[in-house]
Amino acid sequence: MYKGIAGSEGIGIGKIVLIEEHEIHLENRTVEDAEAEQKRLQGAIDKFVADTNAMADRMDATVGEKDADILRGHIQMLQDPMIEEQLTALVSGEKLCAEMAVEQVLEQTAQMFAQIPDELLQQRATDLRDIKTRVEKILLGIEDVDISKVEKGTVLVARDLTPSMTAGIVPENIQGILTEVGGRTSHSAILARAMEIPAVLSIENICSLVKNGDNVVLNGSTGEAVINPDDDVIREYQQLYEAYQKEKELLKKYSGKPTVTADGKQVELVCNIGKPEDAAKAVECDGEGVGLFRTEFLFMDRDSIPTEEEQFEAYKSVAETMKGKPVIIRTLDIGGDKALPYLGLEEEENPFLGFRAIRFCLERRDIYEIQLRALLRASAFGNIKIMVPLVTGVEELRQVKEMVAALMKQLDAENISYNQEIEIGVMMETPAACMMADALAKEAKFFSIGTNDLTGYTMAVDRGNAKVAYLYSTYNPAVLRAIQRIIECAKKEGIMVGMCGEAAADPKLIPLLLAFGLDEFSVSATSVLKTRKAISEWDISRCRELAEKVMACVTEEEVLKLL
Ligand code: PEP
Ligand code: MG
């Protein structure tokens, strides 16, 4: 049995499809028969064109015409007469092998574009390198797995689950996911949970331990997986699967009910979403709104920043789907483990402590203004609130408010409607924000505690580093005190305080959060009913008794014993 991190709950039983990362090794060789080699090259180009057209047609239907057209543009780039001429000169003239000719011509052209200080032309360089790799893979017979086409009953095994892989996943076909890296709060885990696919992450060397077609069972709740299990183990997992489905069925009785404690205190129970389409899932799972829309996913898996119109449509669609229920939209939280290659940002030594989230947005106001304008315009169609990530002090919040005020004037002048009372709140996820919570509460309309980062930054631990994972714990008294302080400061100023980190759905922490007075719990769609059930089992007086004891603890061990 292999042990990893429980990334997304549920039981998976299926056959492995291994997603390998291929390294391309090229040989600088000449050929005898240049004519045959020219034909081989043309064959690869033809296949590239056919594959790309097919991919673009699929994208028309799923992601949209604009992204599909970017792909179609790749065909034109490869078929550019200058490029074709240079390729022919190398293959037919100098008898160079096709893959080396492709490498030389496309790499040189890419380098030429990369040197021009213009973002659009630099993007061309990225595109050309992408085209180059794809054509070389065709010539070398390297086939990448097309995730969108894998069979029903597949368990995907990959080093990491990237956003572009997840874009291709058809949830009905995927029974589970196993990876070599990533923790419970990594974005791969968050995406797996959003799609309700069981996942076990960070299994050492899993990619070298399995092969395509191996049978596998996995338990995403305990973080266990067995490769080629015997009949007894399969039977055991089938029983677990049925029990899991039954529990899900039982939870249905909590659907359509308010979220109240046993003694009648009502709180809000809302959802975390990553894509506009997830809003429908939030409604289906009976979420009472959206407590965190991670907008950076709109910016990923594409070649350029989404336009104001695209963003407006995305935010508006969520607001409309939620029909007047609160929708908290977090502005762009890029950096850290979420890169946007097309921005061409410098690599940083400590990306989690670097140029990310609001720091990036206040520097690149051209990009931020587009998002804020789109948010304001969409606010006319529902109950949208703006949330600022990674805040460390009041200056950042004030600057965002000034930008919003200026944009409101612009919209007034253009006669475009928006919600003049739109609330601007702060994501509380840095120790600095926690220390300044009293001051921030005077200027923010609401708080939402991001325990994923708050835990990491409070404990000075990297979210994804397995060596120090033992320190990454929200049960640590230091983190609990931070949470308590943030809630207290919000209460003192009478503003709403929620939690959108993973801790909001942790049944062990729920009584503490209730005792502290948390107003809103924002959890993944799949955790809504479980969280409502957990909340319904507590009396506030009992929560307070427990909290008093827990907050007197000075070690995590003591805390866990009590919880
Ligand atoms: C958090 O930090 O708790 C959070 C919800 O945001 P993210 O996981 O996207 O950083
Ligand atoms: Mg965060």
Side-chain angles (χ1 to χ4, degrees):
M1 186 198 325
Y2 297 105
K3 189 99 185 91
I5 292 172
S8 172
E9 68 175 35
I11 305 295
I13 303 173
K15 274 199 190 317
I16 284 176
V17 169
L18 184 59
I19 302 171
E20 287 174 281
E21 284 166 39
H22 299 281
E23 272 182 48
I24 297 180
H25 298 287
L26 294 178
E27 250 180 280
N28 200 353
R29 68 186 166 86
T30 49
V31 293
E32 300 255 305
D33 186 348
E35 203 179 315
E37 193 64 4
Q38 182 68 36
K39 264 199 191 132
R40 191 166 84 91
L41 172 65
Q42 194 53 49
I45 294 176
D46 291 345
K47 181 164 168 33
F48 175 90
V49 172
D51 289 355
T52 308
N53 273 323
M55 261 158 72
D57 288 347
R58 267 209 311 277
M59 278 173 87
D60 270 336
T62 53
V63 199
E65 227 171 89
K66 202 161 165 269
D67 290 282
D69 285 344
I70 293 176
L71 262 187
R72 293 194 181 95
H74 284 190
I75 298 177
Q76 284 168 5
M77 283 188 195
L78 182 61
Q79 290 181 329
D80 182 282
M82 272 242 300
I83 299 235
E84 282 192 338
E85 208 173 284
Q86 289 178 42
L87 286 171
T88 309
L90 286 178
V91 176
S92 293
E94 296 183 27
K95 296 192 165 189
L96 191 62
C97 68
E99 47 271 29
M100 209 55 207
V102 168
E103 173 67 28
Q104 285 186 10
V105 172
L106 293 190
E107 183 54 38
Q108 267 169 19
T109 320
Q111 278 177 15
M112 203 180 74
F113 280 118
Q115 279 163 9
I116 307 171
D118 175 300
E119 229 174 85
L120 261 177
L121 292 176
Q122 286 179 358
Q123 178 54 45
R124 278 266 167 107
T126 314
D127 288 339
L128 279 163
R129 291 193 172 114
D130 191 22
I131 298 167
K132 180 188 80 173
T133 312
R134 285 186 49 213
V135 179
E136 285 170 1
K137 279 185 177 168
I138 296 173
L139 284 164
L140 295 170
I142 298 174
E143 279 206 38
D144 280 333
V145 179
D146 181 350
I147 296 182
S148 67
K149 286 200 186 137
V150 300
E151 283 177 23
K152 248 188 164 41
T154 291
V155 171
L156 294 176
V157 180
R159 205 185 89 77
D160 195 7
L161 192 66
T162 63
S164 61
M165 283 181 201
T166 31
I169 284 181
V170 181
E172 300 88 271
N173 295 343
I174 310 296
Q175 285 294 309
I177 294 167
L178 304 177
T179 69
E180 258 178 38
V181 296
R184 209 183 138 70
T185 55
S186 65
H187 282 83
S188 42
I190 290 167
L191 290 169
R193 285 198 288 279
M195 291 186 287
E196 292 190 56
I197 300 175
V200 181
L201 312 175
S202 273
I203 307 180
E204 231 176 291
N205 291 327
I206 188 67
C207 292
S208 352
L209 296 167
V210 301
K211 54 184 187 319
N212 279 319
D214 276 350
N215 288 315
V216 60
V217 294
L218 66 131
N219 185 338
S221 313
T222 58
E224 289 163 345
V226 185
I227 311 296
N228 292 325
D230 60 28
D231 289 348
D232 286 346
V233 174
I234 294 182
R235 221 169 295 125
E236 181 196 329
Y237 271 75
Q238 268 158 353
Q239 281 164 6
L240 283 171
Y241 178 81
E242 277 152 31
Y244 179 75
Q245 293 305 110
K246 205 160 146 194
E247 193 199 304
K248 256 172 100 173
E249 200 53 42
L250 284 176
L251 282 175
K252 282 196 182 146
K253 74 169 196 221
Y254 290 91
S255 187
K257 305 255 162 71
T259 308
V260 280
T261 60
D263 55 344
K265 180 177 169 11
Q266 187 162 352
V267 291
E268 246 181 281
L269 180 55
V270 291
C271 287
N272 293 348
I273 65 169
K275 287 185 276 182
E277 308 87 78
D278 297 344
K281 189 117 191 211
V283 173
E284 195 185 301
C285 293
D286 203 31
E288 299 160 20
V290 168
L292 168 66
F293 176 4
R294 292 180 160 97
T295 57
E296 52 279 6
F297 289 109
L298 291 177
F299 289 67
M300 290 175 169
D301 279 317
R302 45 183 298 140
D303 295 324
S304 58
I305 290 157
T307 61
E308 180 181 319
E309 214 49 39
E310 283 174 283
Q311 292 190 54
F312 164 67
E313 287 298 337
Y315 307 145
K316 176 178 162 221
S317 92
V318 175
E320 288 182 335
T321 306
M322 298 319 292
K323 297 200 170 80
K325 290 176 181 163
V327 175
I328 298 183
I329 303 188
R330 172 175 79 183
T331 60
L332 185 59
D333 184 0
I334 207 64
D337 60 348
K338 293 166 276 188
L340 287 187
Y342 57 80
L343 288 178
L345 290 177
E346 273 171 47
E347 271 198 28
E348 296 176 289
E349 208 142 302
N350 288 304
F352 279 98
L353 302 180
F355 190 48
R356 59 172 286 207
I358 191 58
R359 303 165 182 188
F360 169 83
C361 289
L362 287 175
E363 175 94 13
R364 290 298 307 267
R365 293 188 178 215
D366 51 333
I367 294 175
Y368 203 32
E369 270 172 8
I370 294 174
Q371 181 171 44
L372 292 174
R373 245 183 87 100
L375 281 170
L376 283 172
R377 286 175 54 199
S379 72
F381 298 87
N383 186 7
I384 287 181
K385 303 170 195 230
I386 297 175
M387 176 153 74
V388 190
L390 209 78
V391 165
T392 53
V394 288
E395 311 90 317
E396 287 156 338
L397 176 62
R398 284 181 192 162
Q399 287 184 60
V400 175
K401 283 181 161 178
E402 276 164 23
M403 284 180 75
V404 169
L407 289 167
M408 282 179 168
K409 281 209 182 108
Q410 248 183 38
L411 292 174
D412 287 339
E414 295 169 40
N415 243 332
I416 298 176
S417 50
Y418 61 90
N419 173 12
Q420 296 183 339
E421 305 298 322
I422 192 165
E423 295 187 1
I424 302 177
V426 170
M427 181 136 184
M428 300 295 282
E429 53 182 345
T430 65
C434 171
M435 298 311 290
M436 295 308 293
D438 50 338
L440 281 165
K442 290 193 172 76
E443 301 189 26
K445 279 279 166 20
F446 63 90
F447 282 168
S448 183
I449 308 175
T451 46
N452 305 344
D453 276 319
L454 184 64
T455 304
Y457 291 132
T458 300
M459 298 304 297
V461 158
D462 177 345
R463 258 160 85 161
N465 183 339
K467 276 223 175 75
V468 286
Y470 72 98
L471 280 173
Y472 183 91
S473 167
T474 311
Y475 307 119
N476 190 290
V479 183
L480 295 180
R481 287 182 194 198
I483 294 171
Q484 187 182 33
R485 173 179 160 77
I486 293 167
I487 298 175
E488 266 175 18
C489 291
K491 296 267 129 187
K492 214 164 176 185
E493 295 301 330
I495 62 168
M496 190 280 272
V497 52
M499 179 174 285
C500 56
E502 295 302 314
D506 183 343
K508 286 203 193 76
L509 290 171
I510 283 171
L512 285 189
L513 301 174
L514 287 169
F516 297 160
L518 193 76
D519 299 309
E520 176 231 55
F521 294 70
S522 192
V523 304
S524 61
T526 49
S527 299
V528 168
L529 297 183
K530 247 185 334 193
T531 306
R532 187 171 290 150
K533 175 173 184 277
I535 290 172
S536 77
E537 286 163 355
W538 285 94
D539 259 359
I540 295 291
S541 55
R542 256 182 72 222
C543 292
R544 289 203 179 118
E545 271 166 40
L546 178 67
E548 201 174 315
K549 286 187 201 141
V550 169
M551 296 316 283
C553 295
V554 291
T555 67
E556 183 190 339
E557 202 189 335
E558 291 168 22
V559 170
L560 276 172
K561 226 181 240 164
L562 279 171
L563 293 181

